[in-house]
Amino acid sequence: MTALFSLDNFTVSYGKVQAVSDVSLNVAKGEIVTVIGANGAGKSTLLNAAMGLLPARGRMTFEGQELAETDDVEARVGLGLCLVAEKRHLFGSMSVEDNLVLGAFRADRSAFEGTLSDVYARFPRLLERRQQLAGTLSGGERQMLAMGRALMSRPRLLMLDEPSLGLAPRIVADIFTIIADLRAAGVSILLVEQNAKAALDIADRAYVMELGEITRSGAAATLAADPSIAASYLGLGH
Amino acid sequence: MDLTILLFLLQDGMTSGAIYALLGVALVLVFAVTRVIFIPQGEFVTYGALTFAVLEAGQIPGTMWLLAGAGALAFLFELWTHRRELTARLLVHEATLKLALPAVVAGLTHVLVPMKAGPFVNLLLTIAIIGPLGPYLYRIAFQPNADASVLTLLITAVGVHLAMMGMGLILFGAEGLRAPPISNASFTLGPLPVSGQSIGVYLVTLGLILALWLFFDRTLMGKALRATAVNRIGARLVGIRTSLSGRIAFALAATIGAISGILIVPVTTIYYDTGFIVGLKGFVAAIIGGLASYPLTAAAAIVVGIVEALASFFASDLKEIIVFMLIIPVLVWRSIASGHHDEEEE
């Protein structure tokens, strides 16, 4: 399979500290790829830099085209990349529907109505709450809104940063079901998670990140079965 | 003081208050979207007023050349920013907005001024000259520094204010100007004569506030501006360029400033530095509105106008002091009541 998205020797620094060093990874069309690792391993930094929120060095390609440093966040959204950030960054004092409308800011206006009803079909809770202010939603609903807003741009690659963070276990299960459904609908997904078990369960392939470097990679099922991974990320403490 | 005088003062106060409301709303808008405390708002009032007065006198205003210069400078800034990835499309787009637009405005001015086309055409021409100065100014002075702290942006704003005031002196001279009233009509409401000019001020203010409300509530671009104000990173993640939001906010503020200037220049003589004080009164209202609430700002502006009118009757020497003192109890109350605010939520 050809890669939809790839990073080669991708490095992100905060001043003199390298938060992400020489990372290479790729995502093929229709695939869920996950990056697992401990808190502070550099996973969020990796996604933020891939989206253009942070400056980075290295080569980055999307749909066979190399992305330039000058392609800012807004240009990347236009190309079909979309990030659901860990902090969600919703428009709290605006309604749920306005948040979704703005999600389609760069999308083709003629497809708008169809996309909106798709998103409401996927997240019926958002339809119930559509006049409510985003800031008044519960944690799970906020995550749904953040994902719904991202889907409004009809992304070709959806990057999800810790979608399960701070959510009740039942809602985490819902969110992961929705992620699996999205792959079935043809969306490629790069998923960053601390909840390694849930991530490895739905992912096709996985990378393990430690202190800013990729230390292991392979099929998700193989990594999940690996005793050292199980000891570090799957069993203890959860 | 009898009832007639009181009603007269109230009318006077509400007329000034309506103008302060426009300016206050523009200040809140610019601050919400760009975090700039827009001190030069007053200069746009001056420029609008004096440009209109010069046009009414049948002359070419110097601001027309300023527009061309600012547009060319903003164009150069844009070229420099994109020097590594210049495309023909970008070049055409920027040249249209920053070179062709001022040229068209200059052409129209030269054609329309000798025709003595009347106050309505002059009003539109003034808006066409002053409105685009806002986004050019944003491009030149604020966009290169857009992520700086509020304090840095405030210092920049003070610098821009001083530069624009000096430029006003060069362009218009030290003499004050006054334009003939747009409307000479006059009505009596009970014991109170009401001038057509103040009716015009009320109507324009209401109309503009309504138009702004529709823009922010109904249009995608308006919602994008609100989104930029609520969460800048969130806005970028959905593909809204915060620099575009900034330029639109500045265009609206400059236009509102120009219209305010046109509304007051038939009533008061305007000098190159008059706008500053007028703008500061809008600022008092915006502060009372917490630099966040549009309705509270508009209401506070009316109060500022009325207090000013009453103060000028009872203690005209202390007029400004009384008006600006309004800010103190509000600041004290706010700092006690609200504690600390975070800009971003979550």
Side-chain angles (χ1 to χ4, degrees), chain B residues 18-86:
Chain B
I19 292 183
Y20 302 153
L22 284 178
L23 297 175
V25 164
L27 279 164
V28 173
L29 165 72
V30 167
F31 181 74
V33 176
T34 65
R35 299 175 307 125
V36 172
I37 296 173
F38 196 40
I39 311 287
Q41 176 75 70
E43 271 61 55
F44 284 98
V45 178
T46 307
Y47 282 21
L50 296 179
T51 302
F52 181 71
V54 170
L55 286 170
E56 284 284 275
Q59 291 158 359
I60 304 281
T63 36
M64 193 197 74
W65 300 113
L66 182 67
L67 179 73
L73 195 57
F75 180 71
L76 291 178
F77 267 69
E78 209 66 59
L79 288 192
W80 177 253
T81 308
H82 295 283
R83 64 191 179 281
R84 294 216 193 99
E85 17 113 46
L86 269 183

Side-chain angles (χ1 to χ4, degrees), chain A residues 162-232:
Chain A
E162 305 278 7
S164 73
L165 194 73
L167 301 184
R170 195 169 48 81
I171 298 171
V172 172
D174 287 351
I175 296 281
F176 277 93
T177 310
I178 290 166
I179 294 172
D181 286 351
L182 287 175
R183 169 181 48 189
V187 183
S188 313
I189 292 165
L190 180 57
L191 170 68
V192 153
E193 259 297 343
Q194 267 189 80
N195 186 341
K197 182 170 179 347
L200 290 174
D201 276 350
I202 61 161
D204 299 295
R205 289 188 302 114
Y207 294 86
V208 178
M209 203 163 173
E210 284 174 63
L211 299 174
E213 291 176 31
I214 300 282
T215 51
R216 299 284 300 275
S217 66
T222 318
L223 287 179
D226 186 303
S228 67
I229 302 269
S232 307

Side-chain angles (χ1 to χ4, degrees), chain B residues 66-237:
Chain B
L66 182 67
L67 179 73
L73 195 57
F75 180 71
L76 291 178
F77 267 69
E78 209 66 59
L79 288 192
W80 177 253
T81 308
H82 295 283
R83 64 191 179 281
R84 294 216 193 99
E85 17 113 46
L86 269 183
T87 58
R89 198 168 145 260
L90 182 85
L91 214 57
V92 170
H93 178 80
E94 293 301 334
T96 310
L97 281 179
K98 299 189 169 88
L99 300 178
L101 178 69
V104 169
V105 172
L108 280 175
T109 311
H110 276 101
V111 172
L112 291 170
V113 165
M115 288 164 64
K116 299 240 180 243
F120 185 68
V121 171
N122 286 340
L123 184 151
L124 293 180
L125 211 48
T126 305
I127 293 172
I129 294 172
I130 305 302
L133 271 179
Y136 296 161
L137 182 71
Y138 179 76
R139 181 66 193 85
I140 296 165
F142 294 99
Q143 193 181 320
N145 235 346
D147 292 320
S149 68
V150 171
L151 181 63
T152 308
L153 292 171
L154 172 64
I155 294 167
T156 312
V158 172
V160 169
H161 150 69
L162 292 172
M164 282 184 74
M165 199 162 73
M167 196 69 89
L169 180 58
I170 296 171
L171 293 172
F172 298 106
E175 299 288 314
L177 290 175
R178 200 163 176 158
I182 296 176
S183 157
N184 277 316
S186 167
F187 314 88
T188 38
L189 204 74
L192 181 72
V194 180
S195 70
Q197 187 71 26
S198 22
I199 304 264
V201 170
Y202 302 148
L203 288 181
V204 170
T205 303
L206 284 176
L208 272 179
I209 287 179
L210 186 69
L212 281 175
W213 178 76
L214 284 174
F215 173 70
F216 284 115
D217 199 63
R218 299 292 156 87
T219 68
L220 183 64
M221 205 56 231
K223 286 176 183 175
L225 249 70
R226 277 166 62 203
T228 310
V230 177
N231 191 321
R232 292 174 74 82
I233 298 179
R236 298 188 66 198
L237 287 175

